Amino acid sequence: MPRISDFMMLARQEQHTLYIARRCVSAEELPMFIPAAFKALAEHLEDMGGLLADHPYVAYGTPDKDGFAVEAGIAVCRALPGKNEIMPGVLPACKTVRCMYLGDYAAMEPVYREMLQWMDNRGLAASGTVYEYYFNGPPVAPENYLIAITIPVA
């Protein structure tokens, strides 16, 4: 199984962010959007003289008949202004459940199911946007992608 850590309850502190949001019709759009967004965010962060506060993330909204919302972002050490499609934001402080995943994006669904079952067994419910924090990506081989799956809980 590609899950390489136990599930853990963590407290996320409020974090300033910079992000680019899109509405996607299908997951096939993500390989074009995410790398371009991370590149634009990194360039803007460098221009602003800012520092990362965590690894880059992608937040996924709940799918509906028209697609789903997706946000590629970076947590930063202080509030920074946006530019063009780059928006400033804040990730709110909350409790989360997190695990580390190693492998291709296509094989993540069983880990999500297991994570939701673990939460349910403890009386926890998802209460917000799901975040995936990317520790690497292309050109690394897909079977070596390292991702922290993070779900806010109530």
Side-chain angles (χ1 to χ4, degrees):
M1 171 157 274
R3 178 170 61 89
I4 60 169
S5 75
D6 292 333
F7 299 119
M8 302 178 73
M9 283 285 299
L10 298 171
R12 180 176 72 195
Q13 301 300 315
E14 181 178 271
Q15 294 179 316
H16 294 285
T17 64
L18 293 170
Y19 69 91
I20 299 173
R22 286 279 189 288
R23 182 106 185 128
C24 293
V25 174
S26 72
E28 285 75 36
E29 297 173 55
L30 297 175
M32 295 295 291
F33 167 63
I34 294 171
F38 284 167
K39 182 176 187 283
L41 289 162
E43 289 170 356
H44 182 63
L45 182 64
E46 185 175 337
D47 290 347
M48 295 287 102
L51 292 173
L52 288 174
D54 203 342
H55 291 84
Y57 69 86
V58 175
Y60 297 95
T62 304
D64 60 29
K65 65 180 179 61
D66 298 320
F68 59 96
V70 62
E71 173 184 307
I74 53 176
V76 294
C77 293
R78 60 184 167 89
L80 294 171
K83 179 181 176 185
N84 300 326
E85 65 182 346
I86 298 172
M87 305 299 295
V90 173
L91 294 179
C94 65
K95 292 180 187 175
T96 67
V97 172
R98 178 180 262 196
C99 78
M100 297 301 297
Y101 170 86
L102 180 67
D104 193 349
Y105 307 129
M108 292 178 84
E109 186 178 335
V111 175
Y112 271 99
R113 282 196 308 270
E114 186 182 2
M115 197 171 189
L116 292 171
Q117 183 63 53
W118 184 91
M119 290 164 46
D120 188 55
N121 291 346
R122 286 155 181 78
L124 301 169
S127 67
T129 303
V130 172
Y131 295 85
E132 294 176 358
Y133 289 85
Y134 295 92
F135 288 70
N136 60 15
V140 172
E143 64 271 15
N144 293 320
Y145 290 166
L146 184 60
I147 302 165
I149 302 170
T150 305
I151 302 176
V153 295

